[in-house]
Amino acid sequence: MGVKGLSSLLEDNSNIYSNIKFSNSKLVVDGCNLAYYLYNMANLDQNHGGEYLAFQAVVQAFFKTLKNCEIKAYVVIDGGLGTSDGQLITRMSRQSTLLENIPAALTGEKKGIYPPFVMSVFEQTLNDLTVPQVRCFGEADGRLAAEARQFSCPVLSGDTDFYIYDLPGVLPLAPFWESVKDSPASSEIRCKLYTTTKFCTEFNINHQLLPFFASLVKVDHVKLRDVKWARFLPAGSPKMKFNAANLMGILSWLRARAEWTTEDTLTAVMALIPNMSQDDQTEVKNMLRDSMLEYKLPSSPAPLFSKGTVQQLPAKLSSVPELVPASLARGDLGANILDYDILVHRRKFLRIQVECSGLQSSNLTSRPIRQVLYGLLLGQGGGEVEEVDRVGTKPASVKVQPLVHGAAKTLRLDSLIRVGLDPDKVKVKQAVEHQRPRLDSLSQADPAVRLQVCLETLGVEEETLEGVPAHLRLPVAVTCYWLRMASPEPTVLKALLMVMVEGELIRQNDKKAKNDKKAGWQGDTEHLSKPLDGVVAHSFNQWQACLKDASQLNLLLCKPLPEPHYAWLYQGRLVHQRQKELQKKEPEDIVQDDKFRDLYRGLLRAVTQPDPGADRRAGGPEAQLGASMEHLHLNTQDSGGEWKKAQDRKKERRDKTDRLAEGHQPQPSTSSWSRGSQLQPAQPAAAHATPQAKWVRGGPKPS
């Protein structure tokens, strides 16, 4: 979150920073902050779904420079929001702002709506470079600061929260990046160093009061907002902006209470607010205390990067099996899988992408995949999960039921046996329907069963993937699922496969590609400040949403399918360019290469061939999963859909795949209808308010 206004205040007091030449040292890196900063500062396109290969090259170059300077980087990554609801309002405010920015992004503006695989590419690239990385439970700030203090080294971040911790120092990210960019071959990095010592000296404030200072700025309570801190500025202070005057006023007020205890200072704050009830006083005091505790570092924390060290779970998650923290610490499980929001609050914030806001959210296509993931994490009796998504450009939420069907039931029963529970002493109904899966035994479960769970969820048979390169099997299976489930009907299949094949062929020829400077084959990657087709973007976004959720399910199942090379799968501007070119030419006329032709035809056959297992699955548990997918898909409200209509839609999709197999490119529909709501066509965002949707606390209300 950071301390609002502190960066600007320090810019006006730049003598607080020391100019240094940094090399031959350890460095603890704020991973999420760095990843999104690099993507933004490299001016990579944000609106077409991601320039992942170009981003990979930026990350590689950055860490190569660190290596040249003999800087040993240790990257710490956030694993979620933490165990409290305190940040919900802030998170909802950010979500609302991003949603309001979608129309501007569609015109080509750069609005900070980042592509969904930025962190996946960042983490895979660090693994390839053997850079140590750890993902924390909840927010990483405290653990990151503790690690820096143990290493006696600075933190690299643009987050001003680190300016409050008692650390050896902070290297602000902006000047550090400028030095790396301007002198990539240098043996030292010219940058700035911040220390709390210089801050406290400059503003004549007790070091122990820094957490109190930050908390008075950060705690968002209506009563605290009424305090006019600027009145405490010394007489004759120069005129300054509101935020700077507010911060300087707080510092001046605290300076006069340097010898006071925390409780005395809290009482003094309450005295600044007239007519404050006892309940409000208690609430504000508790909020300030909780905020200050976030800056308190443990006296002897377990080191994050020692071999075999497993992070200790908070009490609220103590029931999670040992494999979970170990897998998360190793980077085997993604942050969203074990997000506190899911495990503790039964809540998940869904990704925002740039797309036509008059269509239903692209995330809804992959909801059935997430339901299976929730079922494995929580069990079918583990309670509904609240998904926070959008309706038009407004945030809205819907309760989603976890699903445990088909092979997942077998997996759970096997797990009970493997961990030593006597199945004869466990009620079958409880074991099948309500017992939470024992995740500590998933890695020991039959690989064939784990694969079956993954493929059943995607509605794909193993034989469909025969002949597909191993690391493309998951993307191909996801593409089969997307073709069946996406709405409106996808018309971008060939463009998607073309870019996937082009990337794979360059990747296979990696050695030669390195000599030829492989980053560049995909054409322009800088942000394109031109309008884009929101309907085409919506279709591509649905595919990325499906791949993201299927990838997380695959990770949770201990990778029954090889993890894809995300940087090579999708290049945003190129895939949109290919879609335009396909209006006049066929793929093999655009890329005239035998290897391209063979792989392209193979993937097209795999995703458009008739489903070999449709009849076999028609009456089994898989049909129940399919029915749930049909009924629950794309609905933020009860649709009242009938099974016959769902079957008719299935038949239409089956006919469509037959046409694709014969080489026909599907034509766009003349009218765009919202699947799951047969009564009316999708409306533009302004007319798309849904009265039945539940509006989330902190988000804007429907007009």
Side-chain angles (χ1 to χ4, degrees):
M1 290 174 60
V3 181
K4 186 177 181 180
L6 184 54
S7 290
S8 298
L9 179 67
L10 294 181
E11 286 176 8
D12 296 335
N13 296 270
S14 58
N15 54 314
I16 289 176
Y17 295 112
S18 301
N19 294 314
I20 65 169
K21 298 177 181 179
F22 190 65
S23 64
N24 192 26
S25 172
K26 291 180 178 179
L27 178 66
V28 177
V29 178
D30 182 353
C32 290
N33 193 267
L34 175 64
Y36 290 113
Y37 186 87
L38 290 180
Y39 194 96
N40 183 49
M41 296 308 296
N43 196 32
L44 299 177
D45 188 85
Q46 294 182 6
N47 296 344
H48 292 76
E51 296 299 335
Y52 296 123
L53 190 60
F55 176 56
Q56 181 189 66
V58 172
V59 176
Q60 289 171 335
F62 182 87
F63 283 94
K64 181 180 178 182
T65 300
L66 297 191
K67 187 176 181 180
N68 291 343
C69 298
E70 297 185 17
I71 297 171
K72 180 67 173 178
Y74 295 86
V75 180
V76 183
I77 299 172
D78 282 329
L81 285 180
T83 57
S84 74
D85 252 345
Q87 295 177 315
L88 178 60
I89 294 176
T90 300
R91 180 68 181 270
M92 278 305 310
S93 177
R94 290 179 181 175
Q95 195 92 341
S96 298
T97 300
L98 290 175
L99 288 173
E100 291 168 0
N101 287 337
I102 288 178
L106 283 169
T107 68
E109 290 188 39
K110 193 175 180 181
K111 304 302 291 186
I113 304 176
Y114 291 101
F117 281 94
V118 167
M119 285 307 302
S120 299
V121 171
F122 181 74
E123 292 176 65
Q124 278 194 338
T125 306
L126 295 189
N127 282 332
D128 293 341
L129 297 172
T130 64
V131 174
Q133 61 173 310
V134 168
R135 183 179 292 281
C136 287
F137 299 113
E139 275 203 310
D141 289 6
R143 293 309 310 273
L144 196 155
E147 200 70 15
R149 197 163 69 174
Q150 282 196 329
F151 284 158
S152 296
C153 73
V155 166
L156 176 66
S157 179
D159 185 347
T160 50
D161 269 329
F162 292 108
Y163 289 23
I164 307 301
Y165 287 103
D166 182 16
L167 298 175
V170 180
L171 305 183
L173 188 49
F176 193 95
W177 157 251
E178 288 296 326
S179 179
V180 169
K181 182 184 67 172
D182 295 342
S183 305
S186 175
S187 59
E188 58 187 16
I189 296 174
R190 297 173 181 268
C191 57
K192 296 183 181 297
L193 174 69
Y194 166 92
T195 63
T196 54
T197 300
K198 289 198 70 173
F199 181 91
C200 292
T201 300
E202 175 70 19
F203 292 109
N204 190 24
I205 184 175
N206 188 323
H207 189 280
Q208 302 301 319
L209 290 176
L210 280 181
F212 207 122
F213 161 69
S215 299
L216 285 174
V217 177
K218 291 175 65 175
V219 169
D220 187 20
H221 192 282
V222 64
K223 296 296 184 181
L224 278 178
R225 290 200 295 268
D226 290 340
V227 180
K228 309 301 181 186
W229 292 105
R231 62 183 165 137
F232 297 107
L233 287 171
S237 295
K239 193 172 182 179
M240 58 187 77
K241 293 180 180 179
F242 174 79
N243 280 340
N246 200 43
L247 266 62
M248 289 295 291
I250 294 174
L251 289 169
S252 297
W253 186 83
L254 288 173
R255 188 181 305 130
R257 289 152 184 83
E259 305 302 323
W260 290 24
T261 66
T262 299
E263 288 303 311
D264 288 342
T265 311
L266 279 171
T267 301
V269 170
M270 300 303 106
L272 298 175
I273 310 170
N275 304 319
M276 193 176 188
S277 70
Q278 189 62 45
D279 287 345
D280 281 341
Q281 285 196 30
T282 300
E283 183 179 16
V284 172
K285 283 185 176 181
N286 287 338
M287 291 175 71
L288 288 169
R289 289 189 189 102
D290 289 343
S291 178
M292 286 186 281
L293 280 175
E294 293 177 5
Y295 296 106
K296 184 176 177 59
L297 298 180
S299 56
S300 55
L304 288 176
F305 292 95
S306 296
K307 188 175 181 180
T309 298
V310 176
Q311 299 175 56
Q312 184 177 359
L313 284 169
K316 288 187 178 181
L317 291 181
S318 59
S319 61
V320 175
E322 290 182 4
L323 178 70
V324 174
S327 297
L328 186 59
R330 289 195 305 267
D332 293 341
L333 299 180
N336 290 336
I337 293 176
L338 297 173
D339 196 324
Y340 284 148
D341 270 359
I342 295 175
L343 290 173
V344 174
H345 302 305
R346 303 295 193 266
R347 181 192 304 119
K348 181 174 176 66
F349 282 85
L350 300 182
R351 295 167 293 276
I352 295 172
Q353 299 190 70
V354 180
E355 61 194 16
C356 177
S357 55
L359 297 172
Q360 296 198 64
S361 168
S362 55
N363 294 312
L364 296 169
T365 309
S366 58
R367 176 184 290 167
I369 302 173
R370 293 193 299 275
Q371 287 178 271
V372 174
L373 189 145
Y374 301 153
L376 289 171
L377 279 172
L378 305 173
Q380 191 148 326
E384 294 177 318
V385 175
E386 180 186 28
E387 292 192 337
V388 183
D389 201 359
R390 70 169 181 86
V391 171
T393 56
K394 305 293 185 182
S397 70
V398 61
K399 297 286 188 179
V400 174
Q401 183 67 45
L403 292 179
V404 182
H405 285 289
K409 289 184 177 180
T410 305
L411 177 64
R412 298 170 77 230
L413 284 171
D414 286 349
S415 298
L416 289 174
I417 296 170
R418 288 174 185 274
V419 297
L421 293 180
D422 184 356
D424 293 331
K425 296 181 181 179
V426 180
K427 293 181 180 179
V428 174
K429 182 178 180 180
Q430 179 188 19
V432 174
E433 299 295 339
H434 301 294
Q435 180 74 18
R436 185 164 64 86
R438 290 298 300 261
L439 297 183
D440 51 346
S441 62
L442 275 183
S443 60
Q444 286 82 42
D446 187 344
V449 176
R450 289 187 276 116
L451 176 61
Q452 188 180 357
V453 173
C454 188
L455 295 182
E456 276 182 6
T457 303
L458 299 175
V460 176
E461 296 294 313
E462 192 171 359
E463 59 193 272
T464 300
L465 304 179
E466 290 178 0
V468 175
H471 54 277
L472 291 182
R473 288 173 187 167
L474 181 60
V476 166
V478 165
T479 304
C480 294
Y481 172 92
W482 167 74
L483 282 173
R484 294 194 316 275
M485 303 298 290
S487 176
E489 182 178 296
T491 61
V492 297
L493 172 64
K494 291 184 178 181
L496 187 66
L497 292 182
M498 282 187 71
V499 173
M500 193 184 301
V501 169
E502 290 177 83
E504 171 60 14
L505 293 178
I506 296 293
R507 191 198 67 79
Q508 288 179 2
N509 199 25
D510 197 20
K511 185 175 181 180
K512 179 181 177 181
K514 285 180 179 176
N515 296 334
D516 292 343
K517 296 184 179 179
K518 62 185 178 185
W521 65 272
Q522 72 274 43
D524 291 333
T525 60
E526 290 189 351
H527 187 82
L528 181 63
S529 298
K530 292 182 179 180
L532 71 156
D533 188 325
V535 176
V536 169
H538 181 268
S539 194
F540 286 129
N541 291 351
Q542 288 181 91
W543 183 82
Q544 287 211 70
C546 293
L547 181 62
K548 186 72 174 178
D549 291 327
S551 297
Q552 291 176 333
L553 176 63
N554 187 56
L555 287 173
L556 185 62
L557 292 167
C558 306
K559 301 181 185 178
L561 289 171
E563 189 174 18
H565 302 290
Y566 297 113
W568 299 90
L569 287 178
Y570 183 97
Q571 319 303 328
R573 288 187 59 178
L574 178 61
V575 78
H576 280 258
Q577 175 190 324
R578 290 286 185 250
Q579 178 65 12
K580 292 179 180 178
E581 293 171 345
L582 285 167
Q583 295 174 5
K584 299 178 180 179
K585 296 181 180 180
E586 285 298 308
E588 293 170 32
D589 296 325
I590 298 171
V591 181
Q592 298 180 1
D593 178 85
D594 290 343
K595 290 183 178 180
F596 171 87
R597 180 196 64 223
D598 293 343
L599 183 54
Y600 173 80
R601 289 181 179 179
L603 297 189
L604 184 63
R605 276 195 305 272
V607 300
T608 59
Q609 65 180 313
D611 184 358
D615 293 336
R616 178 180 60 78
R617 293 197 304 268
E622 297 84 350
Q624 300 174 25
L625 178 59
S628 298
M629 287 179 176
E630 285 291 348
H631 179 68
L632 292 168
H633 182 62
L634 297 184
N635 292 302
T636 56
Q637 55 194 10
D638 292 337
S639 67
E642 300 173 4
W643 176 244
K644 184 179 183 304
K645 291 180 181 179
Q647 293 299 324
D648 290 342
R649 292 197 300 273
K650 266 191 168 181
K651 184 177 184 304
E652 290 174 8
R653 289 194 296 274
R654 205 173 294 125
D655 292 341
K656 176 192 71 177
T657 57
D658 290 342
R659 293 196 303 274
L660 285 172
E662 294 169 3
H664 299 295
Q665 178 80 350
Q667 298 301 313
S669 174
T670 55
S671 63
S672 178
W673 291 81
S674 297
R675 182 172 168 212
S677 180
Q678 294 83 22
L679 297 178
Q680 59 182 6
Q683 300 295 320
H688 199 69
T690 307
Q692 294 91 332
K694 174 186 173 186
W695 296 88
V696 183
R697 176 167 60 91
K701 306 295 183 185
S703 57

